[in-house]
């Protein structure tokens, strides 16, 4: 077993990337995630890799594109406004089917917004974000340990599906300090990479591209991507359920909001209100089936988000009209407190009783 | 019988899709000849641009990326940083490089990124139908400057080679043309020197090629080559703006 170290979420993510075999980072500083590039600027030269601070987020993501095209493990990290700038490149990377990992430590928006934590990029992360029909795999950790674990997994998933994987946290997760243990990776098996740009020595030319001028061909390409997303939906849907078995009301939340909701559930149970929690870990693919099953037994759900209601749309799709779906959210960098969530649940439950 | 002229080995035996009189086919061939002469086909990586020459990888047979508008130098950077042993070049037009991609090209040059850029300057947006480019000359009529470009409205054409030559990371910067055989031979020499500069690890290299674009210029191929000489060259003088210091770019 490894030893536990106290680290910020941002540092843990950076170290996990190195231990997952990522040797290349291209990025641009932005609060509240700059500790990731700072850490990697020290660490990557130690492992014979390369840290490069690009001139913009746009350049960063295309440097990632260039490196990912060689088949190596590569990442970038940013925060909301920076991720918006990267969206063009993410669309190209998804289209060209290149593996890479992108970390978004969300801050309040829209626009320049603020630098405090938020979950307001849910739509952008899970519904494509850039132009065209595509998805990135989105994983949402709620502890520093989980951030490190999912970061390691993210590289495997990126390779497995030749697709960008996004770690979606909020600024709070990046800044908070918790004990973290880096578990030794057992396997370094990676899928064949016969498509990579390495110089065409002893083989025909490889081209990494996204242009398909003939509509019939582009449609086939799109359908191929769609089949890949269906495989992700089948194999990579991740969700935690907590005390849902006997619950009379179930809170649905991800990341930091889910963590706060867990404390709220403890308090509610002391007050004899049986709360439970569904915490989607993968936001794309979204755990619709879990929500559907929960809605068969529970008639009230409360979605808690650090935005004005984005994931609630997916929750409603999962629930499919079988239960009432309520919402509580704080925005602008305000973090909901467990007291607020308790009060909100009491309001909903009282109405029913 | 002795064969004295043949298709470069690094070019596919296909016809290009370019308009009659277009310069792209000539420049493609020059690059392929240089790749052949340096014997680097198996370790060369190209970054194809947007615009008419997006299908570059259908003509030159090295490994290639296809870039988004303006981003080729960033893609080349990512590739080169992972594989310093490869020879990486970008092929970019004037809208691509001098408008939407100014940040990427200036910073790749400033970093002394060991890549080579072939920059096609034809003073117009070709593929999108002949709109004004940052390199469009004052007075030049395009579909978005129908009365001729004026400096009051649209500012002045960008002299990319002159700008980049001021940067310490740029090792070799030259402007050439492909309007006549003499200039084509000079263009090839410059392209070869640019590749060699990269291979010696001396820094960033760029060859700006003044190239004819007859269809959107609404000229015959013959008028177009004349226009390159008479209208473009006075504003965009040919020559080497920067040559490598042989000791190379040192780490300090």
């Amino acid at each position: 077993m490894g030893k536990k170290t106290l680290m910020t979420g941002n540092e843990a993510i950076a170290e996990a990337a190195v231990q997952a075999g990522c040797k290349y980072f291209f990025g641009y500083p932005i609060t509240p995630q700059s500790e990731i590039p700072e850490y990697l600027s020290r660490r990557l030269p130690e492992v014979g890799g390369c840290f490069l601070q690009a001139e913009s987020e746009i350049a960063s993501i295309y440097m990632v594109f260039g490196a990912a095209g060689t088949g190596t493990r590569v990442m970038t990290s940013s925060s909301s406004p920076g991720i918006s700038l990267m969206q063009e490149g993410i669309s190209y990377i998804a289209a060209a089917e290149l593996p890479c990992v992108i970390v978004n430590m969300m801050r309040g928006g829209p626009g320049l917004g603020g630098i405090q934590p938020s979950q307001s990029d849910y739509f952008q992360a899970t519904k494509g974000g850039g132009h065209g029909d595509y998805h990135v795999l989105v994983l949402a950790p709620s502890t520093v340990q989980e951030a490190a674990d999912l970061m390691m997994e993210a590289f495997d998933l990126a390779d497995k599906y030749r697709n960008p994987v996004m770690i979606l946290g909020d600024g709070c997760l990046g800044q908070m300090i918790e004990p973290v243990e880096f578990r030794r990776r057992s396997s370094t098996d990676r899928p064949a990479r016969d498509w990579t740009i390495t110089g065409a020595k002893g083989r025909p030319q490889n081209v990494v591209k996204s242009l398909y001028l003939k509509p019939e061909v582009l449609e086939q390409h799109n359908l191929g991507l769609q089949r890949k997303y269906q495989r992700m939906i089948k194999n990579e849907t991740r969700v935690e359920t907590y005390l849902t078995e006997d619950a009379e009301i179930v809170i649905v939340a991800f990341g930091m909001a889910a963590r706060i909701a867990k404390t709220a559930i403890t308090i509610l149970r002391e007050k004899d209100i049986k709360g439970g929690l569904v915490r989607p870990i993968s936001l794309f693919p979204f755990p619709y089936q879990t929500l559907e099953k929960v809605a068969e037994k529970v008639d009230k759900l409360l979605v808690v988000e650090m935005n004005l209601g984005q994931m609630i749309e997916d929750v409603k799709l999962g629930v499919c009209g079988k239960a009432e779906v309520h919402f509580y959210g704080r925005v602008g960098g305000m973090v909901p407190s467990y007291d607020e969530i308790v009060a909100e649940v009491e309001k909903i439950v009282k109405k029913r009783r | 019988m002795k064969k004295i002229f043949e298709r470069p080995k690094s070019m596919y035996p296909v016809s290009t899709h370019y308009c009659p009189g277009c310069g792209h086919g000539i420049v493609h061939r020059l690059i392929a000849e240089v790749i052949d002469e340096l014997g680097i086909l198996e370790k060369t990586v190209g970054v194809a641009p947007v615009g008419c020459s997006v299908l570059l990888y259908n003509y030159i047979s090295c490994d290639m990326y296809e870039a988004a508008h303006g981003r080729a130098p960033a893609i080349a950077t990512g590739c080169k940083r992972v594989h310093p042993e490869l020879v990486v070049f970008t092929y970019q037009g004037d809208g691509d490089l001098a408008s939407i991609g100014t940040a990427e090209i200036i910073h790749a040059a400033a970093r002394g990124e060991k890549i080579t850029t072939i920059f096609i300057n034809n003073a117009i947006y070709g593929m999108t139908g002949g709109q004004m480019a940052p390199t469009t000359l004052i007075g030049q009529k395009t579909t978005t400057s129908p009365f001729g470009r004026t400096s009051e409205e649209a500012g002045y054409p960008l002299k990319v080679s002159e700008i980049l030559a001021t940067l310490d990371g740029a090792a070799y910067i030259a402007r050439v043309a492909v309007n006549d055989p003499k200039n084509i031979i000079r263009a090839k020499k410059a392209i070869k020197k640019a590749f060699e500069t990269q291979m010696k690890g001396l820094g960033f290299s760029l060859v700006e090629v003044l190239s004819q674009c007859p269809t959107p210029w609404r000229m015959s191929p013959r008028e177009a080559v004349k226009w390159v000489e008479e209208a473009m060259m006075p504003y965009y003088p040919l020559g080497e703006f920067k040559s490598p210091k042989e000791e190379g770019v040192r780490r300090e």
Side-chain angles (χ1 to χ4, degrees), chain A residues 106-124:
Chain A
M106 293 176 279
R107 58 190 248 183
L112 206 47
I115 58 168
Q116 302 297 331
S118 166
Q119 295 181 325
S120 52
D121 303 346
Y122 179 91
F123 282 149
Q124 186 194 51

Side-chain angles (χ1 to χ4, degrees), chain A residues 304-317:
Chain A
V304 178
E305 295 180 72
M306 286 152 66
N307 60 44
L308 287 176
Q310 299 189 19
M311 183 178 69
I312 187 174
E313 295 192 2
D314 282 320
V315 173
K316 282 181 174 172
L317 278 173

